[in-house]
Coordinates of all heavy atoms in Angstrom, one line a residue:
M1 N 7.1 -2.6 -10.8 CA 6.7 -3.5 -9.6 C 7.1 -2.9 -8.3 O 8.1 -2.2 -8.1 CB 7.6 -4.8 -9.8 CG 7.4 -5.7 -8.8 SD 8.3 -7.3 -9.2 CE 7.7 -8.3 -7.9
A2 N 6.1 -3.0 -7.4 CA 6.3 -2.5 -6.0 C 7.5 -3.1 -5.3 O 7.6 -4.4 -5.5 CB 5.0 -2.6 -5.3
S3 N 8.1 -2.4 -4.5 CA 9.2 -2.9 -3.7 C 8.9 -2.4 -2.2 O 8.2 -1.5 -2.0 CB 10.5 -2.7 -4.2 OG 10.7 -1.3 -4.3
L4 N 9.6 -3.1 -1.3 CA 9.6 -2.7 0.2 C 11.0 -2.1 0.5 O 12.0 -2.6 0.1 CB 9.2 -3.8 1.0 CG 7.7 -4.4 0.9 CD1 7.6 -5.6 1.7 CD2 6.8 -3.4 1.2
L5 N 10.9 -1.2 1.5 CA 12.1 -0.7 2.1 C 11.8 -0.4 3.7 O 10.6 -0.2 4.0 CB 12.7 0.5 1.5 CG 11.9 1.8 1.3 CD1 12.4 2.8 2.3 CD2 11.8 2.3 0.1
K6 N 12.8 -0.4 4.4 CA 12.6 -0.2 5.9 C 13.7 1.0 6.2 O 14.8 0.8 5.9 CB 12.9 -1.4 6.6 CG 12.3 -1.4 8.1 CD 12.2 -2.7 8.6 CE 11.4 -2.5 9.9 NZ 11.3 -3.7 10.6
R7 N 13.1 2.0 6.7 CA 13.9 3.2 7.1 C 14.5 2.9 8.5 O 13.9 2.3 9.3 CB 13.1 4.4 7.1 CG 12.6 4.8 5.6 CD 12.1 6.2 5.5 NE 11.8 6.4 4.1 CZ 10.9 7.3 3.7 NH1 10.2 8.1 4.6 NH2 10.7 7.5 2.5
P8 N 15.7 3.4 8.6 CA 16.5 3.1 9.9 C 15.8 3.4 11.1 O 15.9 2.6 12.2 CB 17.7 3.9 9.7 CG 17.9 4.2 8.3 CD 16.6 4.4 7.8
R9 N 14.9 4.5 11.2 CA 14.4 5.0 12.4 C 12.9 4.6 12.6 O 12.2 5.0 13.5 CB 14.5 6.4 12.7 CG 15.9 6.7 12.9 CD 16.1 8.3 13.2 NE 17.5 8.4 13.6 CZ 17.9 9.6 14.3 NH1 17.0 10.5 14.8 NH2 19.2 9.7 14.6
S10 N 12.4 3.8 11.7 CA 11.1 3.4 11.6 C 10.9 1.9 11.9 O 11.6 1.1 11.4 CB 10.3 3.9 10.4 OG 9.1 3.4 10.3
K11 N 9.8 1.5 12.6 CA 9.4 0.1 12.7 C 8.5 -0.4 11.5 O 8.4 -1.6 11.4 CB 8.8 -0.1 14.0 CG 7.5 0.6 14.1 CD 7.0 0.3 15.6 CE 5.6 1.1 15.8 NZ 5.0 0.8 17.1
F12 N 8.1 0.5 10.6 CA 7.1 0.3 9.7 C 7.9 -0.1 8.3 O 8.9 0.5 8.1 CB 6.1 1.2 9.5 CG 5.3 1.4 10.7 CD1 5.1 2.8 11.2 CD2 4.4 0.4 11.3 CE1 4.2 3.0 12.3 CE2 3.7 0.7 12.3 CZ 3.7 1.9 12.9
W13 N 7.2 -0.9 7.5 CA 7.8 -1.1 6.1 C 7.2 0.0 5.1 O 6.1 0.5 5.4 CB 7.3 -2.4 5.7 CG 8.0 -3.5 6.1 CD1 7.7 -4.3 7.2 CD2 9.3 -4.0 5.8 NE1 8.7 -5.3 7.5 CE2 9.6 -5.0 6.6 CE3 10.2 -3.6 4.7 CZ2 10.9 -5.8 6.6 CZ3 11.4 -4.4 4.6 CH2 11.7 -5.4 5.5
F14 N 7.9 0.5 4.2 CA 7.5 1.4 3.2 C 7.4 0.8 1.8 O 8.1 0.0 1.5 CB 8.6 2.6 3.2 CG 8.4 3.5 4.4 CD1 8.9 3.2 5.6 CD2 7.7 4.8 4.3 CE1 8.8 4.1 6.7 CE2 7.6 5.7 5.3 CZ 8.1 5.2 6.5
A15 N 6.4 1.2 1.1 CA 6.1 0.7 -0.2 C 6.7 1.7 -1.2 O 6.4 2.9 -1.2 CB 4.7 0.4 -0.5
A16 N 7.5 1.3 -2.1 CA 8.0 2.0 -3.2 C 7.4 1.6 -4.5 O 7.5 0.3 -4.8 CB 9.5 2.0 -3.3
F17 N 6.7 2.5 -5.2 CA 6.0 2.1 -6.4 C 5.9 3.2 -7.3 O 6.1 4.3 -7.2 CB 4.5 1.5 -6.0 CG 3.7 2.6 -5.4 CD1 2.8 3.4 -6.0 CD2 3.9 2.7 -4.0 CE1 2.0 4.3 -5.4 CE2 3.0 3.7 -3.3 CZ 2.1 4.4 -4.0
T18 N 5.6 2.9 -8.7 CA 5.5 3.8 -9.6 C 4.0 4.1 -10.0 O 3.2 3.2 -10.1 CB 6.1 3.4 -11.0 OG1 7.5 2.9 -10.7 CG2 6.1 4.4 -12.1
D19 N 3.6 5.4 -10.0 CA 2.2 5.8 -10.4 C 1.9 5.8 -11.8 O 2.9 5.4 -12.7 CB 1.8 7.0 -9.6 CG 2.4 8.3 -10.2 OD1 3.2 8.2 -11.2 OD2 2.1 9.3 -9.7
S20 N 0.8 6.1 -12.3 CA 0.5 6.1 -13.7 C 1.3 7.2 -14.6 O 1.3 7.0 -15.8 CB -1.0 6.2 -13.9 OG -1.5 7.5 -13.3
T21 N 1.8 8.2 -13.9 CA 2.6 9.3 -14.5 C 4.0 8.9 -14.6 O 4.8 9.7 -15.3 CB 2.3 10.6 -13.9 OG1 2.9 10.6 -12.6 CG2 0.8 11.0 -13.9
G22 N 4.4 7.8 -14.0 CA 5.9 7.4 -14.0 C 6.7 7.9 -12.9 O 7.8 7.6 -12.7
R23 N 6.0 8.6 -11.8 CA 6.6 9.1 -10.7 C 6.9 7.9 -9.8 O 6.1 7.1 -9.6 CB 5.9 10.1 -9.9 CG 5.8 11.4 -10.7 CD 5.1 12.5 -9.9 NE 3.9 11.9 -9.4 CZ 3.0 12.5 -8.5 NH1 3.5 13.6 -7.8 NH2 1.7 12.0 -8.3
R24 N 8.0 7.8 -9.1 CA 8.3 6.8 -8.1 C 7.9 7.4 -6.7 O 8.3 8.4 -6.3 CB 9.8 6.5 -8.1 CG 10.2 5.3 -7.3 CD 9.8 4.1 -8.1 NE 10.2 2.9 -7.3 CZ 9.9 1.7 -7.4 NH1 8.9 1.4 -8.3 NH2 10.2 0.7 -6.8
L25 N 7.0 6.8 -6.1 CA 6.4 7.2 -4.8 C 6.8 6.2 -3.6 O 6.9 5.1 -3.9 CB 4.9 7.3 -4.8 CG 4.3 8.1 -5.9 CD1 2.8 8.0 -6.0 CD2 4.6 9.5 -5.7
K26 N 6.9 6.8 -2.4 CA 7.2 6.0 -1.3 C 6.1 6.3 -0.2 O 6.1 7.4 0.1 CB 8.6 6.2 -0.7 CG 9.7 5.8 -1.6 CD 11.0 6.1 -1.2 CE 12.1 5.7 -2.2 NZ 13.3 6.4 -1.8
K27 N 5.4 5.3 0.3 CA 4.4 5.5 1.2 C 4.4 4.4 2.2 O 4.8 3.3 2.0 CB 3.0 5.3 0.5 CG 2.6 6.2 -0.5 CD 2.3 7.6 -0.1 CE 2.0 8.6 -1.2 NZ 2.1 10.0 -0.7
S28 N 4.2 4.8 3.5 CA 4.3 4.0 4.6 C 3.1 2.8 4.6 O 1.9 3.2 4.2 CB 4.1 4.6 5.9 OG 4.1 3.7 7.0
T29 N 3.3 1.7 4.8 CA 2.3 0.7 4.8 C 1.7 0.5 6.3 O 0.7 -0.1 6.4 CB 2.8 -0.7 4.5 OG1 3.7 -1.2 5.4 CG2 3.4 -0.8 3.1
K30 N 2.2 1.2 7.3 CA 1.8 1.2 8.7 C 1.8 -0.2 9.2 O 0.8 -0.5 10.1 CB 0.5 1.9 8.8 CG 0.5 3.3 8.2 CD 0.7 4.3 9.3 CE 0.4 5.8 8.9 NZ 1.3 6.4 8.1
T31 N 2.6 -1.1 8.8 CA 2.6 -2.5 9.3 C 4.1 -2.9 9.5 O 5.0 -2.4 8.8 CB 1.9 -3.4 8.5 OG1 1.9 -4.8 9.2 CG2 2.5 -3.6 7.1
T32 N 4.3 -3.8 10.5 CA 5.7 -4.3 10.7 C 5.8 -5.6 10.1 O 6.9 -6.3 10.1 CB 5.9 -4.3 12.3 OG1 4.8 -5.1 12.9 CG2 6.0 -2.9 12.8
D33 N 4.7 -6.2 9.7 CA 4.7 -7.6 9.1 C 5.0 -7.5 7.5 O 4.3 -6.9 6.8 CB 3.3 -8.3 9.3 CG 3.2 -9.7 8.7 OD1 4.2 -10.2 8.1 OD2 2.2 -10.3 8.9
K34 N 6.2 -8.1 7.1 CA 6.6 -7.9 5.8 C 5.6 -8.5 4.8 O 5.4 -8.0 3.7 CB 8.0 -8.5 5.6 CG 8.6 -8.2 4.4 CD 10.1 -8.7 4.2 CE 10.7 -8.3 3.0 NZ 12.1 -8.7 2.8
R35 N 5.0 -9.6 5.2 CA 4.2 -10.3 4.2 C 3.0 -9.4 3.9 O 2.4 -9.3 2.7 CB 3.8 -11.6 4.8 CG 2.8 -12.6 3.8 CD 2.5 -13.8 4.6 NE 2.0 -13.7 5.9 CZ 0.7 -13.7 6.2 NH1 -0.2 -13.8 5.3 NH2 0.4 -13.7 7.4
V36 N 2.5 -8.8 4.9 CA 1.2 -7.9 4.8 C 1.7 -6.7 4.0 O 0.9 -6.2 3.2 CB 0.6 -7.6 6.2 CG1 -0.4 -6.4 6.2 CG2 0.1 -8.9 6.9
A37 N 2.9 -6.2 4.4 CA 3.3 -4.9 3.6 C 3.5 -5.2 2.2 O 3.2 -4.2 1.4 CB 4.6 -4.5 4.3
T38 N 3.8 -6.4 1.8 CA 4.0 -6.8 0.3 C 2.6 -6.7 -0.3 O 2.5 -6.1 -1.5 CB 4.7 -8.2 0.3 OG1 5.9 -8.2 0.8 CG2 4.8 -8.6 -1.3
K39 N 1.7 -7.2 0.3 CA 0.4 -7.1 -0.3 C -0.3 -5.8 -0.4 O -0.8 -5.3 -1.4 CB -0.7 -8.1 0.5 CG -0.4 -9.5 0.4 CD -1.4 -10.3 1.2 CE -1.1 -11.7 1.0 NZ -2.1 -12.6 1.8
I40 N 0.1 -5.0 0.7 CA -0.4 -3.5 0.6 C 0.4 -2.7 -0.4 O -0.2 -1.9 -1.2 CB -0.1 -2.9 2.0 CG1 -1.0 -3.4 3.0 CG2 -0.4 -1.4 1.9 CD1 -0.8 -3.2 4.4
A41 N 1.7 -3.0 -0.6 CA 2.4 -2.3 -1.7 C 1.9 -2.7 -3.0 O 1.8 -1.7 -3.8 CB 3.8 -2.8 -1.6
A42 N 1.5 -3.9 -3.3 CA 0.9 -4.4 -4.6 C -0.5 -3.6 -4.8 O -0.7 -3.1 -5.9 CB 0.7 -5.8 -4.7
E43 N -1.2 -3.4 -3.8 CA -2.5 -2.7 -3.9 C -2.4 -1.1 -4.2 O -3.0 -0.6 -4.9 CB -3.3 -2.9 -2.5 CG -3.9 -4.2 -2.4 CD -5.0 -4.4 -3.4 OE1 -5.7 -3.6 -3.8 OE2 -5.1 -5.7 -3.8
F44 N -1.3 -0.6 -3.5 CA -0.9 0.8 -3.8 C -0.6 1.0 -5.2 O -1.0 1.9 -5.9 CB 0.3 1.3 -2.9 CG 0.0 1.5 -1.5 CD1 1.0 1.7 -0.6 CD2 -1.3 1.7 -1.0 CE1 0.9 1.9 0.7 CE2 -1.5 2.0 0.3 CZ -0.4 2.1 1.2
E45 N 0.3 0.2 -5.7 CA 0.7 0.3 -7.1 C -0.5 -0.1 -8.1 O -0.7 0.7 -9.1 CB 1.8 -0.8 -7.5 CG 2.3 -0.6 -8.9 CD 3.7 -1.4 -9.1 OE1 3.6 -2.5 -8.8 OE2 4.6 -0.8 -9.6
S46 N -1.3 -1.0 -7.8 CA -2.5 -1.3 -8.7 C -3.4 -0.1 -8.7 O -3.9 0.4 -9.8 CB -3.2 -2.5 -8.0 OG -4.3 -2.8 -8.8
A47 N -3.7 0.4 -7.5 CA -4.5 1.6 -7.5 C -4.0 2.8 -8.2 O -4.8 3.6 -9.0 CB -4.9 2.0 -6.0
A48 N -2.8 3.1 -8.1 CA -2.1 4.3 -8.7 C -2.0 4.1 -10.3 O -2.3 5.1 -10.9 CB -0.6 4.3 -8.2
N49 N -1.8 2.9 -10.7 CA -1.8 2.7 -12.1 C -3.2 2.7 -12.8 O -3.3 2.9 -13.9 CB -1.1 1.4 -12.5 CG 0.4 1.4 -12.2 OD1 1.0 2.5 -12.4 ND2 0.9 0.3 -11.9
K50 N -4.2 2.4 -12.1 CA -5.6 2.3 -12.6 C -6.3 3.8 -12.5 O -7.4 3.9 -13.0 CB -6.4 1.3 -12.0 CG -5.9 -0.1 -12.4 CD -6.7 -1.2 -11.7 CE -6.2 -2.5 -12.1 NZ -6.8 -3.6 -11.6
R51 N -5.6 4.7 -11.9 CA -6.2 6.1 -11.7 C -7.5 6.0 -11.1 O -8.6 6.5 -11.6 CB -6.2 6.8 -13.0 CG -4.8 7.2 -13.6 CD -5.1 8.0 -14.8 NE -3.7 8.4 -15.2 CZ -3.6 9.4 -16.1 NH1 -4.6 10.0 -16.6 NH2 -2.3 9.7 -16.5
R52 N -7.7 5.2 -10.1 CA -9.0 5.1 -9.4 C -9.4 6.3 -8.6 O -8.5 7.1 -8.2 CB -8.9 3.8 -8.5 CG -8.8 2.5 -9.1 CD -8.8 1.5 -8.2 NE -8.7 0.2 -8.9 CZ -8.7 -0.9 -8.3 NH1 -8.6 -1.1 -7.0 NH2 -8.6 -2.1 -9.1
T53 N -10.7 6.5 -8.4 CA -11.1 7.6 -7.7 C -10.9 7.4 -6.1 O -10.7 6.2 -5.7 CB -12.7 8.0 -7.9 OG1 -13.4 6.7 -7.5 CG2 -13.0 8.1 -9.4
Y54 N -11.1 8.4 -5.3 CA -11.0 8.3 -3.9 C -11.8 7.1 -3.4 O -11.5 6.3 -2.5 CB -11.1 9.6 -3.1 CG -11.2 9.4 -1.7 CD1 -10.1 9.2 -1.0 CD2 -12.5 9.5 -1.1 CE1 -10.1 9.1 0.3 CE2 -12.5 9.3 0.3 CZ -11.4 9.2 1.0 OH -11.4 9.0 2.3
L55 N -13.0 7.2 -3.8 CA -14.1 6.2 -3.2 C -13.7 4.7 -3.7 O -13.9 3.9 -2.8 CB -15.4 6.5 -3.6 CG -16.1 7.8 -3.0 CD1 -17.4 8.2 -3.7 CD2 -16.1 7.7 -1.6
Q56 N -13.2 4.5 -4.8 CA -12.8 3.2 -5.3 C -11.6 2.7 -4.4 O -11.7 1.6 -4.1 CB -12.5 3.3 -6.8 CG -13.6 3.5 -7.7 CD -13.3 3.7 -9.1 OE1 -12.2 4.4 -9.4 NE2 -14.0 3.2 -10.0
V57 N -10.5 3.6 -4.4 CA -9.5 3.1 -3.6 C -9.9 2.9 -2.0 O -9.4 1.8 -1.5 CB -8.4 4.3 -3.6 CG1 -7.3 4.0 -2.6 CG2 -7.9 4.6 -5.0
R58 N -10.8 3.6 -1.5 CA -11.2 3.4 -0.1 C -11.9 2.1 0.0 O -11.7 1.3 0.9 CB -12.1 4.6 0.2 CG -12.5 4.5 1.6 CD -13.3 5.7 2.0 NE -14.1 5.5 3.3 CZ -15.0 6.3 3.7 NH1 -15.3 7.4 3.0 NH2 -15.6 6.0 4.8
R59 N -12.7 1.7 -1.0 CA -13.5 0.5 -1.0 C -12.5 -0.6 -1.1 O -12.6 -1.7 -0.4 CB -14.5 0.5 -2.1 CG -15.3 -0.7 -2.2 CD -16.4 -0.7 -3.2 NE -17.0 0.7 -3.5 CZ -17.0 1.2 -4.6 NH1 -16.5 0.8 -5.7 NH2 -17.5 2.4 -4.9
V60 N -11.4 -0.5 -2.0 CA -10.5 -1.6 -2.3 C -9.6 -1.9 -1.0 O -9.5 -3.0 -0.5 CB -9.5 -1.2 -3.4 CG1 -8.4 -2.3 -3.5 CG2 -10.4 -1.4 -4.6
L61 N -9.2 -0.8 -0.4 CA -8.5 -0.9 0.9 C -9.2 -1.4 1.9 O -8.8 -2.2 2.8 CB -7.8 0.4 1.2 CG -6.7 0.7 0.3 CD1 -6.1 2.0 0.6 CD2 -5.6 -0.3 0.2
G62 N -10.6 -1.1 1.9 CA -11.6 -1.6 3.2 C -11.6 -3.0 2.9 O -11.6 -3.9 3.9
D63 N -11.9 -3.5 1.8 CA -12.0 -5.0 1.5 C -10.8 -5.7 1.8 O -10.8 -6.8 2.3 CB -12.3 -5.2 0.1 CG -13.8 -4.7 -0.4 OD1 -14.6 -4.5 0.5 OD2 -14.0 -4.7 -1.6
F64 N -9.7 -5.1 1.4 CA -8.4 -5.7 1.7 C -8.1 -5.9 3.1 O -7.6 -6.9 3.7 CB -7.2 -4.9 1.0 CG -5.9 -5.5 1.1 CD1 -5.6 -6.7 0.4 CD2 -4.9 -4.8 1.7 CE1 -4.3 -7.2 0.5 CE2 -3.6 -5.3 1.8 CZ -3.3 -6.4 1.1
S65 N -8.4 -4.8 3.9 CA -8.1 -4.8 5.3 C -9.1 -5.9 6.1 O -8.6 -6.6 7.0 CB -8.2 -3.5 5.9 OG -9.6 -3.0 5.9
R66 N -10.3 -6.0 5.6 CA -11.2 -6.9 6.2 C -10.7 -8.4 5.9 O -10.7 -9.2 6.7 CB -12.7 -6.9 5.6 CG -13.4 -5.7 6.2 CD -14.9 -5.8 5.9 NE -15.0 -5.4 4.5 CZ -15.0 -4.1 4.0 NH1 -14.8 -3.1 4.9 NH2 -15.4 -3.8 2.7
E67 N -10.1 -8.6 4.8 CA -9.6 -9.9 4.3 C -8.4 -10.2 5.2 O -8.2 -11.4 5.8 CB -9.2 -9.9 2.9 CG -8.5 -11.2 2.5 CD -7.9 -11.0 1.0 OE1 -8.7 -10.5 0.2 OE2 -6.9 -11.6 0.7
L68 N -7.5 -9.3 5.5 CA -6.3 -9.6 6.1 C -6.6 -9.7 7.7 O -5.9 -10.5 8.3 CB -5.3 -8.5 6.0 CG -4.5 -8.5 4.6 CD1 -3.6 -7.2 4.5 CD2 -3.7 -9.7 4.6
L69 N -7.3 -8.7 8.2 CA -7.5 -8.7 9.7 C -8.7 -9.5 10.1 O -8.9 -9.7 11.3 CB -7.7 -7.2 10.1 CG -6.6 -6.4 9.7 CD1 -6.8 -4.9 10.1 CD2 -5.2 -6.8 10.4
G70 N -9.7 -9.9 9.3 CA -10.8 -10.7 9.6 C -11.8 -9.8 10.3 O -12.6 -10.3 11.0
V71 N -11.8 -8.5 10.2 CA -12.7 -7.5 10.7 C -13.9 -7.2 9.8 O -13.7 -7.0 8.6 CB -12.0 -6.2 11.1 CG1 -12.9 -5.2 11.7 CG2 -10.8 -6.5 12.0
D72 N -15.0 -7.2 10.3 CA -16.3 -6.8 9.5 C -16.7 -5.5 9.7 O -16.5 -4.8 10.7 CB -17.5 -7.9 9.8 CG -17.1 -9.2 9.3 OD1 -16.4 -9.3 8.3 OD2 -17.8 -10.2 9.7

């Protein structure tokens, strides 16, 4: 299960998640909104566990950002 952490000198939330090989990864969500960061962390973990290709991940994150930001 993905979790969030905030580093002392950063304004952004970081997602901590496990990939398909069992490694624990930490990636910046590049957002200061915790609710949005939680959704991004879940997407990171989902993509890592499904071993998606670059284009698939890009498509999923694009759809996700349009949903959150309302941008077409």
